[in-house]
Amino acid sequence: GGKAAHALYNEEEHGTTLTEKALAWITKHASTKNNEPGTKNPFFVYFATPHIHHPFTPGVKFKGSSEAGVYGDFIQEFDWMVGEMMRTLDELKLRENTLVILTSDN
């Protein structure tokens, strides 16, 4: 089944696709509560990514972006992903009232 699954899955697009879907979800679920100005609906997001585990398959725009080879490129992509999450929280004015926990088993 692994080969069939990989035929449907582009590892190089994973980081971008996952990030885009998470940002869309956050934007949708952080809408104004009961249309009252200044209030937001609380939500929980678990953003799990295979970055920075094997296989190191950074997105096309991140290949060659570091001086640390493919592993460094993959970390650069992960850094971009976290940055996009934080940028979105800022745009939605949620950063001051949001708990962000970044953890890794590495």
Side-chain angles (χ1 to χ4, degrees), residues 30-41:
S31 62
T32 303
K33 186 178 188 180
N34 300 325
N35 295 321
E36 296 174 27
T39 61
K40 302 284 184 178
N41 289 317

Side-chain angles (χ1 to χ4, degrees), residues 52-104:
I52 55 177
H53 294 282
H54 281 284
F56 302 137
T57 51
V60 174
K61 71 179 181 179
F62 295 98
K63 287 185 177 179
S65 64
S66 76
E67 296 178 8
V70 179
Y71 181 74
D73 299 346
F74 209 41
I75 291 174
Q76 297 249 113
E77 184 173 20
F78 178 69
D79 183 60
W80 170 82
M81 294 164 73
V82 173
E84 288 297 293
M85 296 286 276
M86 300 308 293
R87 181 188 57 75
T88 299
L89 293 174
D90 283 340
E91 286 178 1
L92 296 171
K93 299 186 179 7
L94 295 172
R95 192 175 206 169
E96 294 299 318
N97 198 23
T98 299
L99 176 62
V100 176
I101 300 170
L102 179 64
T103 184
S104 175

